[in-house]
Amino acid sequence: MSKRILILEQDSILRELLVEYLEEEGFSVRSVGGARQILVNPQGPPDLLLASTRELGASGWREVEILKESHPLLKVVLLASSHRRPALLSEGHIRPDGLLYKPFEPARLQR
C-alpha cells in the first residue's frame, strides 16, 4: 500500500506540480486549497501533510492540531515562502517534522 500524502497549498500550479511529482514517485496524493478541507479524508488519514504556512494562518493550525490528535503518527512538513522562520512556529502551535523553503527542488521531498 502506498503512503498517502495530503497537500495544502493555495497556489494551484505548485499544488498540481507536487501532485504530479509525488504520484510519479508512487505515492497516493490528495490536494486541497484550504485548511478546513484537511479534515475530510475519504480514503483514510494521510501519512504526511505538506502544508503551506501561508494557508494555515491562526485558524488553520487548529485543523492541523485536530488531525494530528486523531492521527498521532501523522508527519507534518511545512512549506514556507521565505527563509525567515514562520511566525506561527515561534508561537508554538505545532512542531513540524520538517520545513521546506520555496522554491525547492522536488528531490528534497524524498528526504
Side-chain angles (χ1 to χ4, degrees):
M1 178 186 229
S2 64
K3 297 279 186 180
R4 290 181 304 272
I5 298 176
L6 176 58
I7 298 170
L8 169 60
E9 172 62 58
Q10 185 179 28
D11 181 330
S12 62
I13 294 171
L14 177 57
R15 192 170 62 235
E16 290 172 24
L17 288 171
L18 287 169
V19 168
E20 183 179 322
Y21 176 79
L22 291 167
E23 284 179 340
E24 286 177 4
E25 293 297 315
F27 297 99
S28 173
V29 183
R30 187 171 81 85
S31 65
V32 296
R36 290 181 188 221
Q37 296 168 303
I38 68 172
L39 297 177
V40 179
N41 293 294
Q43 291 83 25
D47 299 298
L48 171 67
L49 170 64
L50 288 176
S52 170
T53 56
R54 186 176 73 190
E55 305 324 309
L56 291 175
S59 63
W61 282 106
R62 184 66 195 133
E63 278 82 1
V64 174
E65 289 170 343
I66 291 168
L67 190 59
K68 189 89 166 141
E69 286 168 7
S70 60
H71 307 290
L73 297 178
L74 173 70
K75 301 290 184 194
V76 178
V77 174
L78 299 179
L79 306 173
S81 57
S82 90
H83 285 278
R84 292 180 290 135
R85 182 176 174 85
L88 292 170
L89 288 180
S90 301
E91 295 168 12
H93 288 278
I94 195 168
R95 295 187 189 274
D97 297 288
L99 178 62
L100 286 173
Y101 292 102
K102 301 174 196 175
F104 56 87
E105 293 294 322
R108 299 266 334 251
L109 292 171
Q110 294 191 16
R111 294 184 186 166

